[in-house]
Amino acid sequence: MNDGRVPRRGRWVLRKPVFLIGFMGAGKTSVAQQLAVTRGLMSVDADEYLELQEDRVIADIFAEEGEEAFRTKETEVLRDLAARVPRLIGCGGGAPLREENRSIMREAGFVVYLEVTADEAAARIPNTASRPLFKDLDTARRTIVERMPRYEEAADAKVSTMGRTVPQIADEVASILEREGVLCREEA
């Protein structure tokens, strides 16, 4: 089990981008950050990257241009990140809904689906009032069920996050990536 410290011997590298997908509250960004710290890798949150490019928050993009415009920008961001030096990429919860996005992720990298229930996600998100899908828990439950086939279609691997800490989840993801030859140690 990883104790949270950066390994001292050797350097870890990704052979291809790793896309972390799943519903909001699954831990995509937290797991990417944990792996970045413990393995010395680069990570990026795709939604934050999009907000920096647009110089506005996603809610404003939705309000001003609509969901379809946002989804087009999201696809451009995924394509851009897929073409860069391999890194851990925490994707927005809706990114795998578009077939084009699933193709970009699968062709360019390795996709890990972090599975979470709506109840567990709601418990993890400090302010569910700011999340439209959590205005009521039944809506979140239905949305997860609706999205699950797309998440599973896109994924190379699935990791349950229920009842687990970020370090535990990150360790399992790292083990999968090592086993698949995506995460490798380069000895100094």
Side-chain angles (χ1 to χ4, degrees):
M1 190 87 137
N2 189 333
D3 63 5
R5 292 181 293 182
V6 177
R8 299 210 185 276
R9 295 174 48 216
R11 182 175 96 95
W12 293 94
V13 295
L14 290 172
R15 299 290 181 211
K16 57 174 106 174
V18 174
F19 298 91
L20 299 170
I21 65 170
F23 197 66
M24 66 181 79
K28 303 175 299 281
T29 300
S30 298
V31 169
Q33 290 171 343
Q34 176 76 17
L35 286 169
V37 168
T38 59
R39 302 299 195 282
L41 303 168
M42 290 187 293
S43 74
V44 63
D45 179 281
D47 283 349
E48 288 178 14
Y49 186 81
L50 191 154
E51 288 178 336
L52 287 171
Q53 282 191 325
E54 290 291 313
D55 197 27
R56 56 191 170 147
V57 297
I58 290 170
D60 289 347
I61 298 169
F62 265 80
E64 295 164 12
E65 298 182 45
E67 182 175 1
E68 190 58 31
F70 167 74
R71 295 292 174 203
T72 298
K73 293 173 190 307
E74 183 177 58
T75 298
E76 292 166 5
V77 163
L78 288 174
R79 188 174 283 113
D80 178 23
L81 292 172
R84 294 177 177 269
V85 172
R87 66 195 70 213
L88 302 157
I89 303 164
C91 299
L97 300 180
R98 264 192 174 185
E99 184 178 340
E100 184 177 6
N101 293 350
R102 293 191 304 274
S103 294
I104 290 167
M105 291 185 283
R106 289 292 307 260
E107 290 169 15
F110 191 86
V111 184
V112 179
Y113 167 30
L114 299 182
E115 186 179 34
V116 68
T117 65
D119 297 86
E120 181 127 350
R124 293 177 183 174
I125 298 170
N127 181 12
T128 58
S130 68
R131 309 284 187 122
L133 294 176
F134 278 106
K135 285 188 176 163
D136 93 46
L137 199 52
D138 286 334
T139 300
R141 289 180 184 126
R142 279 192 305 276
T143 303
I144 286 178
V145 169
E146 290 167 5
R147 289 181 176 184
M148 194 176 303
R150 297 294 183 242
Y151 292 152
E152 290 178 345
E153 180 184 334
D156 294 299
K158 179 166 73 170
V159 174
S160 173
T161 67
M162 275 72 85
R164 301 173 74 198
T165 66
V166 169
Q168 290 170 333
I169 299 163
D171 282 345
E172 183 175 347
V173 171
S175 294
I176 291 167
L177 297 176
E178 286 181 66
R179 184 177 65 239
E180 296 294 329
V182 176
L183 176 64
C184 304
R185 184 176 284 195
E186 288 187 348
E187 293 297 332

